[in-house]
Amino acid sequence: MSNFDQYLSEHREQHLEELREFLRIPSISTLSTHKADVRRAAEFLAEQARAIGFEHVELLETPRHPVLYADWLHAPGRPTVLVYGHYDVQPVDPLHLWTSPPFEPEIRDGKLYARGASDDKGPVFMHLKSFEALLRTAGSLPVNVKLCIEGEEEIGSPHLPQVLADHQERFQADVIVISDTPMLAPGRPAVCYGLRGLAALEVHVYGANSDLHSGLYGGMVQNAVHALVEVLASMRGPDGRVQVAGFYDGVQSLSAEERQAFADLAYDEVATAQTLGVDTLFGEAGYTALERVWARPTLEVNGIYGGFQGEGTKTVIPNEAHAKITCRLVPDQDPVRIQQLIRQHVLTHLPPGARAEVTLQDTGRPYVTPFHHPAIQLAAKAYEEAYGVPASFIRMGGSIPVVEVFDRLVGAPVVLMGFGLPDENFHAPNEHFSLDNFDKGLRTLCRYWTGLPDALRE
């Protein structure tokens, strides 16, 4: 057993209690009523960093929630690692679906239940404790380390790009490590090398200047709900392919190597369909489920509303209807251009007697990095040493927009090595984190930091 293994074993209960203390802070970034709690979470991490031995610990202010910076730079000639994470969490609604209160952490069946346990307080805390274990047992770290832990990831990181630009020299590093992606499955670690981008918007369709009696006006005026449904139906064909003109322009094709790597994972589409309670999976024709969710773009209607919503019947012709849309994007799609293409599509396909407005919302660029980089290959090796099985190389269907910002402003490879599981209910009631991954993840990180100097010299 290595020295850090023994240290982590001896201090496990202490570390879990400290993590529970962190999880008790309701740092919900989107709710102004929790602004003080979000700051309290930042200050908790700042104190943890100081206690471990980090220096230059500072909360970099933004118009909303601060970014924690700290560093340990006493390994001359060794690489510098920038660790990114976030301490803010999602709202907890619907509260009645939680088995235990979301901010009263509880361990059940080897899992730690609390909001933020998996996304992203647990993994952020693990990074700090991996550095603590190495400092306490070796007296120093094998690499230089900088921390960048923000409080606005769950609201789209609106201010972090400016913070990174304003402090670009301070955040320079040789490698960026982020633990905010899932593993493939229990006992199946995975290194993520690609993320989809995001383009969000809302479509508003209007008919007459008020709701109308369907007996007096039915057949005479356009129904806003019908008009909206017609526009939405025109956006996707029966084969799952998006019908917006120009949507696929520039989309990079999967290489034969990647397609084979995805196939080698032996993903069970039938079992997934059964788990989800559907008779079959659906998506763009010509691609497997993994290819579609990791490496193909999508357009999804996330919500639609308009007209009478109450109990019973109301014979009305709605004068307005609304839809929320998000697109997951892949290289080389520009999210702003995609928004404009969809806006034009709405205006082109709007039926007579209606008018439309399109509100543009969040965007995030996709990110893919070559998984042959030694820093990424080392992550797979560290996983295998800790978990006893080879790690897979995967993409992720979700978005972490700040990854592309790091790539552009820092210019270092981004290593996405997560420890959560796809079914751990992040963003949902009963979020939880496997303590097996807490234990093995800490050891994975320690092995990664220890091996990084040699890996980057090769």
Side-chain angles (χ1 to χ4, degrees):
M1 178 182 290
S2 66
N3 290 338
F4 63 75
D5 274 311
Q6 182 175 347
Y7 180 88
L8 291 169
S9 296
E10 292 174 351
H11 291 80
R12 183 177 190 264
E13 292 309 311
Q14 174 191 333
H15 291 165
L16 284 176
E17 181 50 44
E18 291 172 350
L19 175 54
R20 284 193 286 260
E21 183 181 352
F22 188 25
L23 293 169
R24 290 187 186 104
I25 304 173
S27 51
I28 305 172
S29 54
T30 193
L31 301 179
S32 59
T33 53
H34 285 282
K35 185 172 184 178
D37 295 316
V38 179
R39 175 166 286 275
R40 189 153 58 94
E43 291 170 346
F44 174 90
L45 287 179
E47 286 304 313
Q48 283 279 323
R50 291 188 187 96
I52 290 168
F54 280 89
E55 300 169 332
H56 308 114
V57 180
E58 184 179 353
L59 296 183
L60 305 176
E61 300 297 339
T62 78
R64 199 158 182 181
H65 304 302
V67 175
L68 170 66
Y69 173 85
D71 61 39
W72 188 94
L73 304 176
H74 300 288
R78 301 290 184 93
T80 297
V81 176
L82 176 62
V83 174
Y84 165 81
H86 64 93
Y87 60 84
D88 64 321
V89 300
Q90 283 275 327
V92 298
D93 312 83
L95 188 59
H96 71 277
L97 294 181
W98 286 80
T99 301
S100 54
F103 295 110
E104 295 180 18
E106 183 175 297
I107 294 176
R108 302 193 301 272
D109 301 322
K111 301 170 184 176
L112 177 59
Y113 285 81
R115 172 58 88 228
S118 183
D119 182 22
D120 181 39
K121 287 183 175 179
V124 163
F125 185 81
M126 288 165 59
H127 277 281
L128 292 178
K129 292 304 158 180
S130 70
F131 295 127
E132 177 185 298
L134 292 171
L135 278 168
R136 297 292 181 269
T137 56
S140 64
L141 296 178
V143 291
N144 299 292
V145 179
K146 298 177 179 180
L147 303 179
C148 176
I149 307 176
E150 67 159 322
E152 298 182 345
E153 195 275 345
E154 298 294 6
I155 54 174
S157 303
H159 300 111
L160 184 59
Q162 190 61 52
V163 170
L164 294 175
D166 290 345
H167 302 272
Q168 194 163 351
E169 184 174 346
R170 182 187 295 200
F171 285 107
Q172 286 304 302
D174 300 298
V175 177
I176 301 165
V177 177
I178 301 175
S179 294
D180 198 13
T181 52
M183 294 173 36
L184 193 60
R188 296 188 67 184
V191 183
C192 180
Y193 65 92
L195 300 162
R196 290 195 291 187
L198 179 71
L201 57 152
E202 290 190 13
V203 178
H204 312 280
V205 173
Y206 303 96
N209 55 13
S210 69
D211 287 354
L212 299 174
H213 189 293
S214 65
L216 296 177
Y217 293 96
M220 182 187 297
V221 297
Q222 182 63 262
N223 182 312
V225 173
H226 279 287
L228 175 62
V229 169
E230 185 175 330
V231 170
L232 297 177
S234 71
M235 292 183 177
R236 194 171 75 174
D239 62 352
R241 189 171 175 85
V242 177
Q243 300 298 308
V244 175
F247 186 81
Y248 291 98
D249 290 354
V251 170
Q252 292 183 14
S253 300
L254 273 167
S255 67
E257 180 185 13
E258 281 186 294
R259 298 195 83 166
Q260 185 60 52
F262 290 3
D264 290 343
L265 295 175
Y267 186 75
D268 192 334
E269 296 190 17
V270 173
T272 299
Q274 292 174 344
T275 298
L276 298 176
V278 296
D279 58 0
T280 185
L281 300 182
F282 172 80
E284 185 184 2
Y287 299 91
T288 67
L290 283 187
E291 289 171 349
R292 293 196 301 263
V293 81
W294 286 350
R296 296 297 296 172
T298 63
L299 184 155
E300 300 286 356
V301 178
N302 308 121
I304 181 170
Y305 56 99
F308 179 61
Q309 306 285 318
E311 183 179 357
T313 299
K314 184 180 181 183
T315 54
V316 66
I317 299 174
N319 76 317
E320 62 179 73
H322 313 268
K324 296 177 182 289
I325 295 173
T326 53
C327 301
R328 298 292 180 172
L329 309 177
V330 299
D332 285 307
Q333 289 180 299
D334 180 347
V336 175
R337 180 173 182 271
I338 293 297
Q339 287 178 324
Q340 297 299 336
L341 291 175
I342 295 173
R343 182 205 292 271
Q344 185 58 50
H345 183 95
V346 170
L347 298 178
T348 300
H349 290 78
L350 190 69
R355 64 183 177 87
E357 297 176 0
V358 178
T359 304
L360 307 183
Q361 298 181 321
D362 296 346
T363 62
R365 299 189 67 87
Y367 173 81
V368 174
T369 190
F371 57 79
H372 298 298
H373 191 284
I376 294 175
Q377 289 293 317
L378 175 64
K381 181 180 178 182
Y383 271 127
E384 185 170 358
E385 290 176 356
Y387 282 81
V389 296
S392 300
F393 292 96
I394 67 171
R395 294 199 195 187
M396 192 176 85
S399 307
I400 308 177
V402 75
V403 169
E404 187 275 335
V405 178
F406 276 122
D407 179 54
R408 177 161 37 88
L409 294 181
V410 180
V414 181
V415 182
L416 299 165
M417 47 192 308
F419 301 99
L421 294 172
D423 63 353
E424 288 186 333
N425 289 14
F426 25 83
H427 294 204
N430 298 311
E431 180 179 350
H432 57 276
F433 189 44
S434 164
L435 293 186
D436 182 61
N437 287 332
F438 177 80
D439 294 330
K440 291 177 180 175
L442 281 165
R443 287 153 177 82
T444 301
L445 290 170
C446 287
R447 285 169 169 78
Y448 185 77
W449 310 134
T450 302
L452 193 56
D454 288 340
L456 294 186
R457 274 197 294 266
E458 294 175 357

